[in-house]
Each structure stands twice: as structure tokens, then as C-alpha cells.
Amino acid sequence: MPERRPFVRLPTDVYPVNYGLRLKPDLIDFTFEGKLEAAVEVTQGTNQIVMNCADIDIITASFVPEGGDEINATGFNYQNEDEKVTLCFPSILQKGSGSLKIDFVGELNDKMKGFYRSKYMTPSGENRYAAVTQFEATDARRAFPCWDEPAIKATFDITLIVPKDRIALSNMNVFDRKPYPEDHSLVEVKYATTPIMSTYLVAFVIGEYDFVESQSSDGVTVRVYTPVGKAEQGKFALEVATKTLPFYKDYFSVPYPLPKIDLIAIADFAAGAMENWGLVTYRETALLIDPKNSCASSRQWVALVVGHELAHQWFGNLVTMEWWTHLWLNEGFASWIEYLCVDHCFPEYDIWTQFVSADYTRALDLDALDNSHPIEVDVGHPSEVDEIFDAISYSKGASVIRMLHNYIGDEDFRKGMNAYLLKFQHKNASTEDLWECLEQASGKPIAAVMNSWTKQMGFPIIVVDQEQHGSDRVLKISQKKFCASGPRNGTYENCPNWMVPISICTSEDPSCTKMKVLLDQPETTVNVTNIAPDHWIKINPGTVGFYRIQYSSAMLESLLPGIRDLTLLPVDRLGLQNDLFSLARAGMISTVEVLKVMEAFVNEPNYTVWSDLSCNLGVLSSLLSHTDFHEDIQEFIRNLFTPIGMKLGWDSKTGEGHLDALLRGLVLGKLGKAGHKGTLEEARRRFKEHVEGKQILPADLRSPVSRLAFLDSLEGLHKQADMQEEKNRIERVLGAIPAPDLIQRVLNFALSEEVRPQDTVSVIGGVAGSSKQGRKAAWKFVKDNWEELHNRYQGGFLISRLIKLTVDGFAIDKMAAEVKSFFESHHAPAAERTVQQCCENILLNAAWLKRDAEDIHQYLLQRKAPPV
């Protein structure tokens, strides 16, 4: 890591109590004028005021002490590197209250941060721009000079001066709207005073929108704003939001503190969504659902994102982290409770099983790397914040909170949460404050347990063996750090230890925990009473504990029938297979063992279990694309997926639900990608009918079918597609086309005007993930167009995602060196850790190939050989 820049927080001698802010954006010239009148407290005499400020020009500034005369600032000293400005005054500002007045101008940038412009097309086909905001983590300072730190909270009185035919929204409700005296085409819109809040949660949007509106059962006005003419696409999110607000009010026993909440779809938006208090902004695909054209997975995604952002209205907005070091708690918590909320609204989604596949296993994979990091990272300079918006803060954060909730029990957990929110509302808190409240509510050593999961990186592998003694089973359980590159030959002195809550179940009742222990040392023995010799024992029922398990071969053998006959819960069938796959990747067992276990899933009915299998087989297929027997693994995939494919067929049947729709899309897509002839022919036929308008494809099949069909018609459809979700679906698919000249066309298309900047990344990623040729071409394309790509995403998290999607699949040592040296000469500070993780992954892939390729090849050949 390069030397960290010394970073100093703002001085505390002057702090804001209220910001009176007037902004007048110009949607033609992309500039804005601003007037700030802030009520401040001077805590000790000073002749300067230091604030955050970036890309803003201050025209005049003055200070008026209460009951005194105005003092004009004599100089503005900008420290651009630190995004600060020092206002210098000719005399000492005395202790006490006063008012700070600043007139300034800024630009509506096109970088998707701060106060920026977002391009949209009117129904008549004209390009126009909206002015919107994205302030987290540190970009409020691009809209107005402020104390831009989460712990410096104040109230806000916002006034926007905007064209009178535009909608103008902010955090609070409008309480006054009148013509602007100097120009009658403008109106002056005043909003009610906000509660005490952090700057990063302030928001405003000026543009053209339609909306749908409803009231939640507890009297909050909920609106969903959509592009003009698409109001009906906001109805699904509206229904989710109206159900969610009362759910959280009840869960936390604290009411939602504002009179209204707006959810709005923004055309150009870097993240998935942003929880601004009372005005939550979303990417179009995270909010809009077309009743006729949206697939089941999009509905589920929208429900989760809405649940996530609304949770922040309490956890994050009402109580805010003291500094960015505690960001993980904000995000990890919301990423956990979004599932609780969706499970409440849509029990038919089986969403907790999907959590294990989407978040839990993803976090385990990343956290097994040497280049992982602890959940809690000391953040100094806020430029380091972007780097920790990753799968560790979100997914591992959510996973350890799920484990904690399970360890404490729901009732005490809610009691502790309520105490925390009441104690710290309108204030700031740190991770320790939450542990303390939960500890008091539960009487368990929460801080000691949780510190082992948040302050050190990685997680343990739990090694289990058993012996039968009469009617008792004695388990020998030990822990050591799990490393993606396999066991280390270190002595035990320097090995980290975790406090591991361990649950145990038996074949008598696989869904019920028979015993719980807290493993707080390297090893222990546990005595499970009254268990017959022919009964199996399973550790970690529900796959809640954040660790991998290595069973003795006899224990594993006894568990495998539970996969075939489905007596193990879906989430445990998934967890068992996923553990084995990662042990194989780490060289602790042979990959052939895992292939044998995978064959036991032939009767599997559960979507999420298939999805996880599909993911792991995708990793293996990508790895073996570097060999000359790639076709053999494709055949293995075809054999495994054909029975379920035949059973499901192409057309949905009456009585099928959400998960059947997801499973059909997954299985047909997988069969097609693995070159299953019947599936490909049927996909081509149906795609042709879809394009000709004879028989429109159901939304759930569009992705898999078009991926298997043709490019030219797709580019045409992309132009016609009105819905962002449909466009994104086509963009991801475009990447999955093998011929070299087509690959090049798709890559060029990714940087064209046709694709929104935030979606370019998934197009290039689609190419990289499609084939060996695609991977090479995408990496070359990224290198050739690096300046433009880096400039476009300016250090945000999209640059990390782009790098990961492009290079993670390589499996030759020298590629790791090439990637490393490219980024040594092309700096991408925000993606530094990602680059290290990718290089580590490439080396791990190469080692895995060297180790297991020949055995896998032999096994796949012998599977095909006719029995003698």
C-alpha cells in the first residue's frame, strides 16, 4: 500500500446548527448559483473558519455575530487536495452564536456525484437533463460549502429556484411555492425544516417525472416517481414500500420520523440506490417494474433494494455512524434486514436460502484471500471509503449480523435494537455502542464474540470428527484459519482464533438445533447424548455460522444420502456442496470428489440450490476453458441439468410461482451455454418468433433465450427497448456471443452513446465472462481504453467492478504479473485492493489447474466410458 496521506478532520471551533440553503440550477448551461446562510456556534475565538468545499467558487463570505456587525471575509484559501476551504477574517470571531453567509457558484457535473446532471429523453424523443444529487460519502461539498462529516449534524432549510414546469423534490415536504420575482418562468420552492441530520443524506432532484402515491398504515405519504409516461411501473415498489414502513416501525418500535418518503428513479446513477432521508434515489432497474415485461428476478431485486434503503431511514439516518470506519455496520445491517423485510412481504420467495447463495458464500470466497480485509477498516482519508464499499462490508457484514441475530434470539435482538435507536436517535454511534445495547438486552458476551469477526480478517474452518460411545456421540471440533490457497504450516502460536457459535442437528430432526456451544478455543470435544449409531450429525444447520466445515470422510458419507433424498434442508444441501467446492479450490480435497457430490443433486427441486451449483460449475467451466477438454465439462453440465430441464419444459404451468420462473430461466440458460442442441434450437425458434412479433417471449425467458440467439436483431431491439431493465438484459447478453468480430463490435458498443455510463461495466463484464476469447478481448479492450474508462468512473466503485469482471477468470501465472504491472503504471487508487485480489485469484486458478486438471479429465472420460 502507498503511504497514506495524513488526514485531519475539520476543526471543532465553529460548528453549524442550521443550514439555510438556496440553490438555483441552470439546466441549459449546467451551472448553479447558491446562497448559504448558516446559523453557527463559535466554541472558541478564531479568525478563520475551515469547511469542506470542492469544485465550488466562493464569491463573497461574511460572518454576523449575534447582535453585532457583519464582518467580511478577507480571503478564501482553497486546499483543493483536501477538498477544504479556509475563510479568513480580519478580526477574531468571538465565542457565541452567529450567522455565516456565503454566495457561491458551482457546476452540474457529469460524474454521477455531488450535484450532477442526468440525461433523459422526453416521450417526444428530445434529450433533456435533470439535476440530481449523490452525496455519500463525501460529495455534499460539491453542492455547497459545508462541514461534510457524518458526525457534524444540523438541520436544513432548503429552497430551490427552478423552471416552473419541472418537479422539484428534497428531503422534506414542500411548504411554500411562489413565482420567482426576477424571472416569471421560474418558481421558488421552500421545503420544511429537516430533523437534525448528516450532510451526506441531503438530496434534491429537479426534472420531469410522473408519480404514484399511497399512504402506509401508519399515515406516511409514500410516492414513487418514474419517468414521464411510466407511472404504472412504480406500482410494485410502491406496494413494497407501503408494506415495509409499518414492518420496520413495528420491528424497531420507533416510528418513521418524517411526514413523507419519496422513491425516485434516476436515469444516470452509479450505485444501486441511495438512502437520502425522505428522498431515496434509485437506478431505474432497482425501482421500476413493468407489469408485462419484468421478470421474477427483477421484482425480487426491487423488493430487496427498497427494503434495504428504507431500513437505513432508521439505521443510518436516525442514528448515524460516528465516522466511515463504522460504515460496515450501516451497510451490513441494512443488507441483512432487507431479507427479513422481503421474507415478511413475500414469503414465497424463499429469500433466506437465496441470501446464503448471494451474500454468504460470496463473502466467504472473498474473505479466504490473503488480500481480504477485516470488516472494520480504520478509515482516515475519505477517499479510502470507496474501497470499503465491497462484499466484505455488505455481504460479510450482513452474514455476521445474521449469525449474531441467531446467537442472541429475535426477542432480545429487537429489545437491544430499540434501546440503541432510542439512546442515539439524531446522534452518532459506533459499532461498540450497538454491542453494548445488545449485550445488556441478552446477557451474552456480544462484544467479545463480535470483535473476533469484525476486527480480524478471515474466518475459521471447523474440522469435525466423531466417535460413538454407547448411546452418545462424542464430537471432536477444532478451528483454524481457512485460506483459499490451502492449509498453512504455521505453528499454533500465531494463529488467529474466533469465538464461534456452533449449532448441531441430527437426522432425527434436521430442521431443529439439538445443541449449541460457543467454541472459544482452538479445539474442544462435545458430547451429544441419545443418538443412534446409524443417525447422522450435521454442524451449522441453516448455514448460519460464518465458517467452512471439513467433516471426516465417514461423517461426510453419512450426510450424502440426505442430498439425494432431500432430508437435508435446501440451505444445508447448498452449504455442504459449497463448502466442498471451496475445499477443492484450496487443494484440501480433490475436485473429483466434488463432481461426485454434484451428481447426487439430480433430484434437486430448489431454485437456489441449482443456482449455487450453476455458479460453481461456471467457475469450473471457466477454469477448464484453459484446457483442451473444455467440451467434457460442458457435457457433464448438460448431463446434470438435462433431467430438471426436461421436467420444467419451456412453458410455465398453472400453479407455478416465483421460484419456478427463476429456475426455468436458470436451467435453460445453463443448458444453452453448455451447448445443449435441443435447447439451442428451441431458443432460436422462439427468439425468431419473438422478433417477428408472432409469439412474445415471457420476461423470465428473455435473458436465457436471447443469450443463445443472435446479435444483429439484438442491437436493433436495444434501440427500441424503452425499459432500462430490458436494455440491461440485452447488454449483458450481448457480451455472451463468441465470434471474434462480434466480440469487438459488442465492446465498441459498450462505450457508445447507446449504453448508459453505469451499464458499460456489465457489457464488458459480459464479454469477459462469455468465453476464453471474450476474456482476452475484454482485457485488451480495457487496457486500450483505460484513460476513458478511468476518467468516466473517477475512482468510484464501478472501476473496481470493471477490473474484477475483466481479469478474475485468467488462470496463468504470467497473467497475474501482467495485470499487476499494468496497474503499477496506470494508477487506480480506489481499486488497489481489487487488483491485488484479482492477481491472487489468477494465481489460485493456475495452481488449481496444475493440481487437478489431469484427475478431472480422467474422471470425465471414465464417466463416459461404457461399463465393461
Side-chain angles (χ1 to χ4, degrees):
M1 286 275 179
E3 271 307 294
R4 287 187 171 194
R5 282 227 306 271
F7 169 74
V8 186
R9 288 214 214 169
L10 293 170
T12 51
D13 49 9
V14 181
Y15 70 87
V17 178
N18 168 272
Y19 290 85
L21 182 62
R22 290 166 65 87
L23 287 171
K24 182 169 167 263
D26 181 329
L27 300 174
I28 309 297
D29 291 338
F30 306 136
T31 55
F32 61 88
E33 295 169 23
K35 269 186 189 316
L36 174 65
E37 193 158 326
V40 302
E41 275 302 313
V42 179
T43 56
Q44 54 184 44
T46 174
N47 61 356
Q48 55 180 37
I49 296 179
V50 183
M51 302 168 77
N52 292 114
C53 171
D55 302 332
I56 279 178
D57 285 321
I58 294 176
I59 296 161
T60 60
S62 65
F63 181 81
V64 185
E66 205 168 24
D69 295 338
E70 185 162 9
I71 307 169
N72 287 310
T74 45
F76 318 131
N77 183 1
Y78 296 95
Q79 295 102 282
N80 291 338
E81 186 69 347
D82 291 329
E83 303 185 337
K84 288 177 185 170
V85 64
T86 302
L87 309 175
C88 306
F89 293 90
S91 57
I92 296 282
L93 313 179
Q94 298 303 331
K95 195 174 155 180
S97 307
S99 162
L100 174 67
K101 300 179 180 179
I102 303 179
D103 288 3
F104 58 93
V105 292
E107 68 153 338
L108 290 174
N109 69 66
D110 58 356
K111 297 274 188 269
M112 294 191 278
K113 61 185 189 181
F115 198 8
Y116 71 93
R117 60 186 190 261
S118 169
K119 182 167 151 186
Y120 63 96
M121 195 183 270
T122 63
S124 64
E126 179 196 345
N127 274 330
R128 287 191 189 161
Y129 288 86
V132 302
T133 56
Q134 166 60 38
F135 290 164
E136 189 180 23
T138 55
D139 291 312
R141 61 193 66 173
R142 289 172 201 284
F144 55 101
C146 56
W147 285 263
D148 200 8
E149 294 181 2
I152 307 182
K153 289 188 169 187
T155 57
F156 291 80
D157 286 289
I158 290 172
T159 303
L160 297 175
I161 296 153
V162 299
K164 61 176 184 222
D165 57 352
R166 295 291 194 271
I167 297 246
L169 304 171
S170 185
N171 305 80
M172 296 297 288
N173 47 306
V174 173
F175 84 91
D176 187 29
R177 184 186 164 104
K178 54 175 195 266
Y180 182 60
E182 294 159 48
D183 179 345
H184 286 303
S185 69
L186 303 178
V187 287
E188 192 171 311
V189 187
K190 277 198 168 87
Y191 301 88
T193 307
T194 69
I196 297 173
M197 63 186 283
S198 302
T199 47
Y200 79 89
L201 294 165
V202 172
F204 9 93
V205 175
I206 299 109
E208 295 174 278
Y209 302 93
D210 285 345
F211 67 87
V212 284
E213 176 180 330
S214 177
Q215 283 234 248
S216 70
S217 58
D218 42 1
V220 180
T221 303
V222 185
R223 286 184 174 183
V224 175
Y225 283 86
T226 72
V228 174
K230 296 185 181 177
E232 84 289 350
Q233 293 185 17
K235 283 188 173 145
F236 178 73
L238 184 68
E239 175 199 336
V240 176
T242 345
K243 272 189 188 164
T244 296
L245 285 171
F247 170 72
Y248 286 148
K249 175 189 171 183
D250 181 49
Y251 195 84
F252 296 131
S253 310
V254 175
Y256 173 73
L258 308 186
K260 64 93 176 172
I261 189 161
D262 299 322
L263 291 72
I264 185 165
I266 304 290
D268 291 305
F269 198 75
M274 175 62 211
E275 70 266 21
N276 316 300
W277 217 357
L279 175 57
V280 185
T281 46
Y282 294 80
R283 244 186 214 224
E284 291 188 356
T285 48
L287 190 67
L288 304 182
I289 289 293
D290 179 335
K292 288 186 294 294
N293 287 317
S294 285
C295 57
S297 59
S298 298
R299 277 170 205 275
Q300 181 176 302
W301 170 240
V302 167
L304 284 168
V305 179
V306 169
H308 180 102
E309 304 308 332
L310 294 192
H312 277 311
Q313 306 300 305
W314 284 262
F315 203 97
N317 301 8
L318 181 63
V319 176
T320 309
M321 66 257 151
E322 200 282 325
W323 185 246
W324 302 110
T325 300
H326 305 279
L327 174 75
W328 83 268
L329 190 59
N330 213 354
E331 292 309 341
F333 182 84
S335 302
W336 166 75
I337 207 167
E338 70 186 59
Y339 283 87
L340 200 68
C341 155
V342 168
D343 196 42
H344 164 80
C345 296
F346 304 100
E348 70 278 12
Y349 285 10
D350 180 31
I351 200 76
W352 279 115
T353 307
Q354 298 194 51
F355 174 88
V356 171
S357 175
D359 283 271
Y360 170 92
T361 56
R362 214 178 120 220
L364 285 169
D365 284 339
L366 184 52
D367 204 26
L369 298 177
D370 293 341
N371 284 298
S372 180
H373 61 87
I375 286 183
E376 202 172 293
V377 180
D378 259 327
V379 175
H381 199 281
S383 66
E384 297 160 18
V385 173
D386 265 337
E387 233 191 305
I388 58 171
F389 274 93
D390 67 1
I392 297 287
S393 42
Y394 283 79
S395 300
K396 182 180 178 181
S399 301
V400 299
I401 286 171
R402 173 169 168 259
M403 173 167 72
L404 172 68
H405 173 264
N406 181 267
Y407 172 61
I408 293 180
D410 191 61
E411 194 185 330
D412 285 349
F413 187 85
R414 289 171 70 165
K415 220 170 27 188
M417 286 305 314
N418 171 257
Y420 172 79
L421 288 169
L422 290 179
K423 182 172 177 185
F424 294 101
Q425 56 184 334
H426 303 297
K427 300 192 186 83
N428 297 76
S430 69
T431 306
E432 287 67 32
D433 296 315
L434 178 61
W435 296 165
E436 195 178 312
C437 293
L438 291 171
E439 202 153 300
Q440 281 175 346
S442 68
K444 292 183 170 162
I446 305 304
V449 171
M450 293 308 286
N451 285 344
S452 74
W453 297 96
T454 65
K455 291 190 185 298
Q456 58 183 4
M457 74 176 204
F459 57 89
I461 177 163
I462 303 294
V463 182
V464 194
D465 203 353
Q466 63 177 16
E467 280 176 17
Q468 187 79 17
H469 290 214
S471 64
D472 295 355
R473 188 84 51 92
V474 177
L475 300 181
K476 192 170 162 234
I477 300 178
S478 64
Q479 59 161 315
K480 56 177 193 271
K481 183 178 186 322
F482 178 73
C483 298
S485 53
R488 298 289 154 89
N489 306 327
T491 50
Y492 264 99
E493 281 78 86
N494 56 3
C495 286
N497 258 325
W498 283 265
M499 306 233 332
V500 192
I502 288 185
S503 307
I504 298 164
C505 72
T506 71
S507 43
E508 248 175 294
D509 185 354
S511 62
C512 176
T513 295
K514 183 166 171 136
M515 219 179 143
K516 286 188 168 186
V517 289
L518 184 66
L519 175 65
D520 54 3
Q521 56 231 27
E523 55 186 357
T524 189
T525 48
V526 176
N527 196 18
V528 186
T529 52
N530 295 331
I531 174 163
D534 60 343
H535 280 191
W536 50 252
I537 273 191
K538 161 111 187 32
I539 307 286
N540 202 12
T543 312
V544 176
F546 194 74
Y547 46 82
R548 300 267 185 211
I549 304 172
Q550 186 171 24
Y551 292 101
S552 66
S553 16
M555 286 185 83
L556 186 60
E557 280 303 307
S558 67
L559 285 169
L560 293 183
I563 293 180
R564 276 183 199 279
D565 63 21
L566 310 178
T567 48
L568 275 170
L569 296 179
V571 69
D572 289 329
R573 303 196 291 271
L574 187 161
L576 202 57
Q577 173 269 130
N578 198 285
D579 273 355
L580 290 170
F581 191 76
S582 74
L583 291 181
R585 189 174 186 224
M588 295 163 80
I589 59 173
S590 159
T591 308
V592 170
E593 296 303 308
V594 187
L595 290 172
K596 288 179 183 161
V597 171
M598 286 176 163
E599 293 179 287
F601 283 87
V602 61
N603 312 316
E604 182 57 57
N606 183 287
Y607 159 70
T608 314
V609 178
W610 275 114
S611 160
D612 198 70
L613 268 169
S614 165
C615 224
N616 286 340
L617 282 164
V619 170
L620 205 53
S621 166
S622 163
L623 182 77
L624 298 176
S625 66
H626 302 278
T627 68
D628 52 7
F629 59 92
H630 190 228
E631 177 42 41
D632 298 321
I633 189 77
Q634 300 298 73
E635 188 183 345
F636 179 89
I637 295 171
R638 294 196 295 267
N639 291 345
L640 187 56
F641 278 77
T642 299
I644 181 87
M646 303 306 275
K647 196 169 131 196
L648 285 167
W650 279 81
D651 299 302
S652 55
K653 306 169 187 57
T654 46
E656 280 190 351
H658 175 81
L659 293 163
D660 301 292
L662 291 177
L663 183 56
R664 179 172 289 110
L666 173 82
V667 170
L668 293 173
K670 196 70 178 170
L671 281 168
K673 196 169 177 187
H676 185 263
K677 283 218 169 42
T679 305
L680 286 168
E681 282 159 12
E682 184 64 7
R684 290 202 176 108
R685 187 183 72 73
R686 288 181 180 240
F687 187 69
K688 187 163 175 282
E689 292 193 337
H690 176 75
V691 175
E692 291 166 0
K694 281 189 198 150
Q695 178 73 51
I696 296 302
L697 277 166
D700 291 298
L701 289 182
R702 285 188 202 165
S703 239
V705 166
S706 31
R707 186 168 292 151
L708 312 172
F710 298 101
L711 182 79
D712 284 335
S713 30
L714 272 175
E715 276 191 15
L717 282 176
H718 186 275
K719 281 208 171 57
Q720 291 158 21
D722 189 29
M723 225 184 125
Q724 200 49 42
E725 177 194 330
E726 183 73 12
K727 282 201 153 103
N728 285 9
R729 203 182 285 147
I730 292 169
E731 286 160 6
R732 277 197 308 276
V733 166
L734 279 172
I737 316 278
D741 51 327
L742 290 184
I743 287 176
Q744 214 36 58
R745 271 175 59 192
V746 177
L747 289 169
N748 295 336
F749 176 71
L751 277 179
S752 69
E753 284 287 297
E754 296 286 320
V755 176
R756 290 203 174 272
Q758 74 252 23
D759 299 325
T760 299
V761 171
S762 50
V763 181
I764 298 173
V767 173
S770 65
S771 64
K772 194 176 169 180
Q773 299 85 346
R775 196 175 304 123
K776 283 189 175 145
W779 169 233
K780 183 176 184 319
F781 184 80
V782 166
K783 288 188 297 186
D784 293 347
N785 296 278
W786 178 251
E787 294 311 306
E788 182 176 350
L789 288 163
H790 190 241
N791 190 30
R792 211 182 240 211
Y793 304 119
Q794 287 263 298
F797 61 91
L798 281 169
I799 202 83
S800 295
R801 190 167 297 166
L802 174 71
I803 294 168
K804 187 172 169 49
L805 285 168
T806 319
V807 305
D808 234 11
F810 286 114
I812 307 148
D813 290 352
K814 73 169 203 306
M815 277 311 302
E818 181 180 319
V819 170
K820 187 168 177 270
S821 80
F822 179 80
F823 288 107
E824 275 166 3
S825 53
H826 300 77
H827 280 292
E832 204 160 345
R833 187 175 273 125
T834 302
V835 170
Q836 291 164 339
Q837 288 164 349
C838 289
C839 292
E840 186 177 345
N841 269 327
I842 295 171
L843 296 173
L844 287 167
N845 287 341
W848 190 9
L849 257 188
K850 281 201 217 45
R851 195 173 55 235
D852 274 5
E854 199 34 51
D855 289 353
I856 297 172
H857 191 191
Q858 288 314 314
Y859 176 70
L860 293 173
L861 287 176
Q862 156 232 314
R863 269 181 89 250
K864 291 194 292 196
V868 181

